[in-house]
Amino acid sequence: MRIRTRLLLFGIILTALPLLFALGLVVVQNTQNTATARTESMNLADADFTHLLQNVYTLATTQQELIEKNLASSLNVVEDQARKRGGLSLGEEPVNWIATNQYSNEKMAVSLPMMQVGTDWLGKINSKDLVVPVVDDVKNLVDTTCTIFQKMNDAGDMLRVATNVMNLDGERAIATYIPSVNPDGSANPVVKAVMKGETFVGRAFVVNAWYITAYKPILDAANQIIGMIYVGIPQESTVYLRKAILDLVVGKTGGVDVLDSKGTYVISKGQDGKIVMDAKDSKGTAYVQNMIEKAKTLKDGEVAEVRTTWPGEGSDPARTKIHKFTYFQKWDWIIVASTFEDEILGSVRLIEEKAKVSLIWLSGLILLSIVICVVAAFLFSSRLTLQINKIMEMFSDIGIGDFSARAEVVSQDEIGEMAETMNAMLDNTLVLMQSRDERDAIQASIMRLLNEISDLADGDLTARAEVTEEITGAIADSFNAMAIQLSEVVQGVKQSALEVGQSSQEVEQSTKDLAAYSEKQAEKIKAAIVTIKDLAAAIRNISHHAGVSAEVSNKAMISAQEGSLAVKKTNEAMSAIKENMRGTARTIKRLGESSQEIGNITQIINDIADRTSVLALNASIQAATAGDAGRGFAVVAEEIQRLAERSAGSTKQIESLVTGIQKEIVEATASMEKSIQYVVSGTELSDQAYSKLEEIEAVSNQLAANINDISSTAKKKSQDSEQIADLMEEVGVLTEQTTGATRDTVSSMEKIISTSRRLEESISTFKLGEEAAAV
């Protein structure tokens, strides 16, 4: 293989291999950085999902605790009102009902003993304009729905016999019943708990809507279950919790929805009540069923995940949607937060796109560098071997007998000087040639010399010509001296080139490592900036919702305070009514005493009338005895008799009226005493309600304080994260500037190394003494 070819191949290999290695290294680093960014982004998103769902779960738990306290207080009110009226019990007289299943609307005839409070039948009242005892009392006192149920059979089907829950027609929903078995064949949780003698508290379907409810069994004198009492609050009344959930945003287009275990939307944007149990994604996966199955196995506050696939827009690839969810068992709520994965990985995809563009540019630059190096190696090798080729052409001409041939000097280096020396030597040799034999001898000597120095022409500086007494001996000696000097020069140059190359490579490697570390640091800082910004946004979001929760809590606290104040005022008013009724009772009592005195006076008048009648009768007898002389007196006696009879009649009427008044006064007094007792009981009940409201107010105050602390801390952390994001952006700018300067240094070092390599390549063709010995 000729020198030029070897130089060309050597230059191409030395140039291409490091560049291709660098390209592979960049590809691997880009892949690793992208994978790391993707993993960190998903971990951060997973943490945000978990915190968001746990916050919603905490809000629902807090709301549930407040409602449970309210419902427990309402149950006490129902029992108290029923006890004041004599208690709930079953009478002996049967009542016929046409009972309607609240789920299937199937009707059935049933005959049950009448449910009564005290000795009064509750009736079959479905008009909202008529008053139903107990249930309407509860509505007026604590403003909750209330129902009295009667057990229909041993299975535990429960019939509504008195209620203030209205159906769709605006009438009381009596004669509807809760079956012990749900339409899907499962045991009804309300009936199941009540038939065990337990109180059920939770979410339940009431007539035609979902309520947060409490059911408690009704026991007879033998402690047998004869029915149950219900109090409840419509689920839609949790308006503040609903608004807080609907205001949550996940990613760009995602949000938070609430489903129940039947696959029905409870809280969603425009889809409340829609059944999505059979919903499937583009791959046919029934993801809602999967979520419900997994949710029922979760512990309190535990979060699970389901992924779905959806078609992209137009020619865009399919999109993956992430659904994170937790299960709030008390309300049968599956709280779902969802968004598309590409919205979470937006910054990662931007990094991937930038990496692809950078890789394309780097590949182009490497290809261009290889081409430039090939051209440079070709030109350098051509220039290096041009003078040697001229010398070889000269020796070829001399070899065929053309002693006038001379080497063209085309370079100014040592090889060019050698060509000039050889030309001068040939000129001197040609003068010395005298005869053909001499020429032949000279030619033979020259041919031997050419053979001996042919390796020198190929770059072997260890080659030496044999020094003889022939005419070419001096030339051989000159060649040997020149070879020794040239070997020393090349050895020095080669050693220097190696040292420069090694130092340059070390500097280049250090600079490349620094550049790689700087680029990696810049990418990490960019990813950190994105992460911190996302974290800041999440903290702002949490701060916002904490503020909303604080506002909700403050409103609840204010409502509790207002309710407490209203109950207190009601209590004061009832106390005033009690005192007024006691005053009225005292007045009626005095009126009774006065009517008794009137009766006594009437009795005296009646006695006087009787005596007057007797006196008139005696006067008439005396007048009759007197004859004509007593006739005038007889007329007067008759008038006195009639007056006495009229007085007696009037006295009897007065006595009758006074007796009636005294009876009514006694009844009024008894009624007033009973009313006073009711007022006293109402005052006690108001005191209990006031005590419960004070407890609710205390809980609300504590909850408001906690939420305000959370809101304040979240705002402070949001400000801190924004400051960190600003600092990281400044560090990112400085790192990019450092990376740019490092890249410039790498470029300069690559030029130095390229020059050193070309120098090494130009020298490597020369074989020196140590290399020859090694060979």
Side-chain angles (χ1 to χ4, degrees), residues 22 30 54 71 79 113 124 174 234 271-272 282 287 292-293 316 386 414 512 546 549 560 573 595 625 688 719 738 765:
N30 284 344
Q54 288 176 347
L71 293 179
E79 292 179 329
K124 298 171 70 174
I174 62 168
Q271 300 190 78
D272 288 2
S282 59
Y287 65 95
I292 293 174
E293 291 173 0
D316 293 342
L386 179 60
E414 290 83 352
K512 284 184 176 178
S549 301
S595 64
T625 304
Q688 294 177 4
Q719 295 173 355
T738 303
T765 57

Side-chain angles (χ1 to χ4, degrees), residues 88 90 151 154 194-195 217-227:
L88 295 169
L90 297 179
K151 188 176 76 170
D154 293 337
V194 170
M195 292 302 291
I218 301 173
L219 304 178
D220 60 8
N223 283 331
Q224 297 297 313
I225 298 174
I226 60 174

Side-chain angles (χ1 to χ4, degrees), residues 694-742:
E694 283 184 335
E695 293 179 6
I696 294 173
E697 181 180 356
V699 173
S700 298
N701 289 334
Q702 183 178 1
L703 178 62
N706 292 336
I707 293 177
N708 285 327
D709 291 341
I710 293 172
S711 177
S712 176
T713 303
K715 289 180 180 178
K716 186 176 184 303
K717 295 302 180 183
S718 176
Q719 295 173 355
D720 293 342
S721 62
E722 289 175 354
Q723 292 177 357
I724 293 172
D726 294 336
L727 292 175
M728 289 301 293
E729 285 183 348
E730 294 177 1
V731 173
V733 172
L734 293 176
T735 303
E736 288 179 355
Q737 293 175 353
T738 303
T739 303
T742 307

Side-chain angles (χ1 to χ4, degrees), residues 588-609:
I588 292 174
K589 186 176 181 180
R590 288 196 297 271
L591 182 61
E593 293 173 355
S594 299
S595 64
Q596 184 68 34
E597 294 176 358
I598 294 173
N600 294 333
I601 295 172
T602 303
Q603 184 63 38
I604 293 173
I605 296 172
N606 192 24
D607 292 341
I608 294 172

Side-chain angles (χ1 to χ4, degrees), residues 168-321:
L168 296 177
D169 296 329
E171 297 180 342
R172 299 178 189 265
I174 62 168
T176 58
Y177 72 94
I178 302 175
S180 59
V181 179
N182 288 330
D184 59 2
S186 62
N188 186 282
V190 173
V191 175
K192 183 178 178 181
V194 170
M195 292 302 291
K196 289 181 179 179
E198 301 172 353
T199 298
F200 174 87
V201 178
R203 179 173 176 265
F205 188 78
V206 179
V207 182
N208 50 29
W210 289 97
Y211 283 65
I212 309 301
T213 65
Y215 293 84
K216 188 174 183 178
I218 301 173
L219 304 178
D220 60 8
N223 283 331
Q224 297 297 313
I225 298 174
I226 60 174
M228 63 183 181
I229 55 177
Y230 147 86
V231 290
I233 298 173
Q235 187 169 270
E236 290 76 7
S237 64
T238 57
V239 61
Y240 296 113
L241 177 60
R242 177 184 181 85
K243 184 177 183 302
I245 292 175
L246 291 177
D247 287 342
L248 294 174
V249 178
V250 182
K252 294 182 179 178
T253 60
V256 178
D257 298 311
V258 178
L259 299 164
D260 61 15
S261 60
K262 301 295 188 297
T264 304
Y265 274 118
V266 178
I267 297 177
S268 66
K269 294 181 180 179
Q271 300 190 78
D272 288 2
K274 182 178 179 180
I275 300 175
V276 291
M277 175 64 82
D278 297 327
K280 297 179 180 179
D281 64 0
S282 59
K283 290 185 177 180
T285 303
Y287 65 95
V288 176
Q289 295 180 12
N290 293 341
M291 281 195 293
I292 293 174
E293 291 173 0
K294 287 185 178 181
K296 290 183 177 180
T297 64
L298 297 177
K299 299 178 181 178
D300 291 344
E302 188 177 1
V303 177
E305 175 182 318
V306 166
R307 289 175 176 256
T308 56
T309 303
W310 302 96
E313 297 180 359
S315 60
D316 293 342
R319 305 177 70 189
T320 298
K321 195 169 189 177

Side-chain angles (χ1 to χ4, degrees), residues 31 115 265:
T31 303
M115 176 69 76
Y265 274 118

Side-chain angles (χ1 to χ4, degrees), residues 6-7 10-22 369 373 376-377 380 384 493-494 496-502 504-506 508-509 512 749-765:
R6 284 189 290 175
L7 289 175
F10 190 67
I12 293 173
I13 291 172
L14 288 180
T15 303
L17 284 180
L19 293 176
L20 293 176
F21 177 77
S369 299
C373 288
F380 179 74
L384 182 64
V493 173
K494 188 173 184 179
S496 299
L498 287 174
E499 292 176 357
V500 172
Q502 291 176 355
S504 299
Q505 287 177 351
E506 292 174 359
E508 181 198 22
Q509 185 60 39
K512 284 184 176 178
M749 290 307 302
E750 287 178 348
K751 292 180 182 179
I752 294 173
I753 292 174
S754 176
T755 303
S756 175
R757 285 175 178 170
R758 287 199 299 271
L759 182 58
E760 290 179 10
E761 291 166 3
S762 64
I763 296 172
S764 61
T765 57

